[in-house]
Amino acid sequence: MKTIIAACSQNLSGSRASIQTALRTLLAAPWPSQRDVRSWLQLLSVLQWVLSFLLLGTVSLLLLIYLVFTSFWPISVLYLAWIIFDWDTPEKGGRRLPCLRQWPVWRHFRDYFPVKLVKTHDLSPSHNYIIGSHPHGILCVGAFCNFVTGSTGFGEMFPGIRPSLTTLAGNFRLPVFREYLMSGGLCPVTRRAIGYLLSKNGTGNAVAIVIGGAAESLSCRPGVTTLILKNRKGFVRMALQHGACLVPSFSFGENDLFRQVVFEEGSWMRSIQQRFQKMMGFAPCVFYGRGLTSVRSRGFLPYARPITTVVGEPVTVPKIEDPSRETVDMYHEMYVRSLLKLFNENKTKYGLSETDELHIL
């Protein structure tokens, strides 16, 4: 009996010693620094944004279809009824939620790259504006961060101005994703939606349009500044019809976030991309970025490269209900000159050399 008690006492003492040793080892281990924690938060904020834009709409649609064949089918039916009832809301100014635009996660998103907004001229709240956003890049990170979130201080720099970023109308047909987009102040890039913001929503509205669109994303790669703009004149016509000032903006560093496999003009892969873009509205780019575990690994996350969005001088536009082709061409040329001036005055400040030129196709 004494032998058993002694053995138990020895085991208990050994257990206590093991626990104490483990605690000492744990306490002696280096804890993550504040810098490490910030880096993780920034990476996670970018991850949720990329996954939201790439998967939220598709996954939500598949989930609702699946629920139809389960006992939870009323959820799908009720949401379908809601979409039918709410169908025109994206075309009528949307349904923005200020709390989502000020979500703290967007500050970590901004700091990951980081993204910076630069103001060169004032925008009066007594006018409406169409902001041309260049270049498109792969995922329009600069445009999203500056015109959708409040993290870069757009509201403080331009008091009284309500920014709205336009995107493909098809995105507003996807369940749940449409609510996510509208809550951030996005609207379809359609004449009806833009016209509503410029004519029936008072003044102080700034509609940001990524003018190059999907076609421009096909030529996106580091060190190349090519814009699809020469024959894109619909935004100028709308500005004239509503008397909205034209404002150029350029995001330096946007094309450095991903590496893309660019297929030459005339190749069969390029033809497939262009046909897909005409049918679906977006281009299937072959690109890669960094992985989740390491900067050196490959994945779908953007590289941490600084983006500086410079908002230029407004081009004053008269209100003409039915502008002639010559008038549209004249103001389009004025806009292009203003954009070139903006680019040339700022390129050496934000990562480009004096010899870099802006190519407009």
Side-chain angles (χ1 to χ4, degrees), residues 146-166:
N146 289 297
F147 304 128
V148 175
T149 79
S151 62
T152 56
F154 185 95
E156 291 74 26
M157 290 187 190
F158 303 101
I161 304 296
R162 295 180 297 276
S164 299
L165 179 63
T166 58

Side-chain angles (χ1 to χ4, degrees), residues 44 85 103 131 148 165-166 171-172 197 316 330 343 357:
L44 289 174
F85 173 78
W103 200 17
I131 300 178
V148 175
L165 179 63
T166 58
N171 289 331
F172 295 89
L197 291 172
T316 303
M330 180 180 71
F343 176 82
E357 296 182 355

Side-chain angles (χ1 to χ4, degrees), residues 96-147:
R96 68 175 64 208
L97 296 176
C99 59
L100 188 139
R101 292 172 61 87
Q102 301 300 327
W103 200 17
V105 73
W106 300 131
R107 294 197 295 271
H108 299 299
F109 179 85
R110 171 200 64 196
D111 294 338
Y112 171 83
F113 299 97
V115 182
K116 180 183 178 182
L117 181 65
V118 175
K119 168 185 173 181
T120 61
H121 292 78
D122 291 328
L123 299 182
S124 171
S126 61
H127 295 90
N128 285 325
Y129 303 88
I130 290 181
I131 300 178
S133 180
H134 310 275
H136 183 284
I138 297 293
L139 293 179
C140 303
V141 172
F144 178 87
C145 193
N146 289 297
F147 304 128

Side-chain angles (χ1 to χ4, degrees), residues 182-205:
M182 284 193 291
S183 64
L186 285 95
C187 65
V189 61
T190 62
R191 290 184 179 275
R192 183 184 177 192
I194 298 172
Y196 183 93
L197 291 172
L198 296 178
S199 62
K200 298 181 180 180
N201 201 37
T203 59
N205 299 288

